[in-house]
Amino acid sequence: MPLLDSTYNPPLFFKSGHLSTIYSGLVRKVANLEQIRIRITLPDADFLDTDWSYASSPSKKLVIIIHGLEGSSKRAYMKGSAKVLTQSGYDVCAINLRGCSGTANKLFRSYHSGATEDLQAVIEHVLQLDEYQNIYLHGFSLGGNLLLKYLGEKRELPIEIKGAVAISVPCQLADSLHQLLQFKNALYAKRFKGNLLVKLKQKQQSFPDLISDTDIENIKTLKDFDDFYTSRAHGFTDAMDYYAKSSSLQFLENIDVPTLIINALNDSFLGSECYPIEIAKHHKNLFLEMPKYGGHVGFYGNNNFTYAERRTLEFLDNIA
């Protein structure tokens, strides 16, 4: 398919990628959304929490939404998407990845960019409800990488899965990590690392033999965290092995349902390898839109309705 032209042209203030990112992450609020929590027990006896929102009348359409690194169903971009979709006749299942719902998960492992087994568990739970004829996947940043990897892993997809939308996706994780370690992203990286270390210290209380004070003190960067914890807890050799095996870029060619990726060109988290231009040019199901503006999960829009939310709704309605 040809690359999609973007019509996104925000007000001057939001042409800045950093301001757009910060506004979306720290300033934007979304009210008047009911979320009903349902806990799902996973095959390894751990759990994750999902928050459900429903259309005003019974729906056969469900969107499963996945947050980004250290996000949750309570983040504005998650609630904004859920609100827009439920107002348009879709039910929504917002996933809180392991340890992200406000309650620590049970096991030493937690979540990561390639943990498609957890998405599979949620989909199986949904299918057992036998209520939805059409299921769509929608993810942001890490969650976008996760769903793209899931779709491209050459599994036999349930026939109910009709399409997907991924926003601000670090399709090549090492490339994105390289960007996050640069000075331009120092404040974001510091915030991510701080949140991750808080959770690691909580893990230490449950697994003192596996995490020492020295281990925590030695974590100076996000890569250090992935070298020590993410790789070790999830069966990878080191951070680079984790990035190589979990990046969705290598799986994109196998996707066989209509899928939209929206990656802003001024997203400071994404390097050139995170824009799969050549793959999209020759792919019948992959649609790539690269707005000039938007930042990372930003895409400011009028009336607290972001451009990414509008495009997601348009894309899913067109599939339907």
Side-chain angles (χ1 to χ4, degrees):
M1 289 292 173
L3 305 179
L4 300 181
D5 292 329
S6 181
T7 61
Y8 182 53
N9 187 29
L12 180 62
F13 183 84
F14 292 102
K15 284 181 164 61
S16 164
H18 289 301
L19 292 177
S20 183
T21 301
I22 292 168
Y23 176 84
S24 174
L26 299 180
V27 179
R28 185 189 182 204
K29 306 297 180 186
V30 176
N32 302 319
L33 176 74
E34 182 179 14
Q35 293 179 306
I36 299 172
R37 178 151 294 183
I38 296 175
R39 178 162 292 182
I40 296 176
T41 300
L42 300 169
D44 59 8
D46 206 352
F47 71 91
L48 56 75
D49 291 322
T50 58
D51 286 314
W52 291 68
S53 303
Y54 298 96
S56 58
S57 44
S59 178
K60 294 294 184 182
K61 302 181 296 184
L62 176 74
V63 182
I64 297 174
I65 313 182
I66 316 165
H67 60 76
L69 179 65
E70 285 305 280
S72 75
S73 66
K74 304 303 182 184
R75 295 296 296 274
Y77 62 84
M78 294 284 284
K79 294 177 69 176
S81 293
K83 186 173 181 178
V84 166
L85 289 164
T86 54
Q87 289 177 344
S88 302
Y90 296 82
D91 287 351
V92 168
C93 168
I95 297 176
N96 295 280
L97 297 171
R98 299 192 199 210
C100 293
S101 67
T103 303
N105 65 303
K106 297 178 181 179
L107 303 184
F108 181 63
R109 67 157 295 174
S110 56
Y111 72 98
H112 66 84
S113 298
T116 52
E117 66 274 14
D118 287 356
L119 176 55
Q120 176 69 27
V122 173
I123 291 171
E124 290 175 356
H125 170 83
V126 168
L127 293 174
Q128 289 172 4
L129 299 176
D130 196 26
E131 294 180 4
Y132 299 102
Q133 296 174 351
N134 299 306
I135 299 173
Y136 307 93
L137 305 181
H138 184 26
F140 297 87
S141 195
L142 177 150
N145 183 80
L146 183 63
L147 78 82
L148 293 173
K149 179 174 178 282
Y150 170 84
L151 292 174
E153 286 179 324
K154 293 187 177 180
R155 59 168 43 83
E156 184 175 349
L157 289 179
I159 60 173
E160 290 86 354
I161 295 181
K162 306 298 186 184
V165 179
I167 308 295
S168 301
V169 190
C171 302
Q172 217 287 5
L173 296 172
D175 187 29
S176 180
L177 184 278
H178 176 69
Q179 301 302 315
L180 283 168
L181 293 182
Q182 294 183 26
F183 177 75
K184 64 181 179 179
N185 287 316
L187 293 179
Y188 306 120
K190 181 179 180 181
R191 184 178 178 86
F192 282 137
K193 189 189 77 170
N195 291 339
L196 289 166
L197 287 181
V198 168
K199 286 187 177 178
L200 191 61
K201 290 174 183 178
Q202 292 174 343
K203 284 282 184 201
Q204 185 185 29
Q205 302 304 310
S206 300
F207 302 95
D209 295 338
L210 298 177
I211 306 170
S212 70
D213 290 340
T214 301
D215 292 327
I216 294 174
E217 291 170 1
N218 287 337
I219 296 174
K220 307 299 184 184
T221 69
L222 291 173
K223 183 177 180 296
D224 293 339
F225 180 86
D226 288 336
D227 271 322
F228 170 71
Y229 175 72
T230 309
S231 58
R232 183 179 169 201
H234 302 99
F236 301 102
T237 303
D238 54 22
M240 297 310 294
D241 183 51
Y242 159 52
Y243 304 146
K245 291 177 178 175
S246 298
S247 293
S248 62
L249 185 65
Q250 63 200 302
F251 299 98
L252 297 181
E253 291 183 353
N254 301 324
I255 293 176
D256 61 3
V257 296
T259 299
L260 172 65
I261 298 174
I262 303 178
N263 280 358
L265 292 173
N266 69 344
D267 187 335
S268 66
F269 292 22
L270 306 183
S272 60
E273 293 183 66
C274 294
Y275 299 88
I277 296 171
E278 291 305 314
I279 295 174
K281 280 181 180 179
H282 304 98
H283 201 304
K284 67 178 183 179
N285 291 308
L286 191 65
F287 300 81
L288 176 62
E289 181 176 342
M290 298 177 293
K292 185 176 180 180
Y293 311 109
H296 191 73
V297 194
F299 302 103
Y300 171 85
N302 294 328
N303 303 315
N304 207 19
F305 179 29
T306 73
Y307 177 79
E309 289 160 4
R310 178 170 70 80
R311 287 290 292 119
T312 296
L313 182 59
E314 288 176 351
F315 189 78
L316 298 186
D317 281 349
N318 285 337
I319 296 173

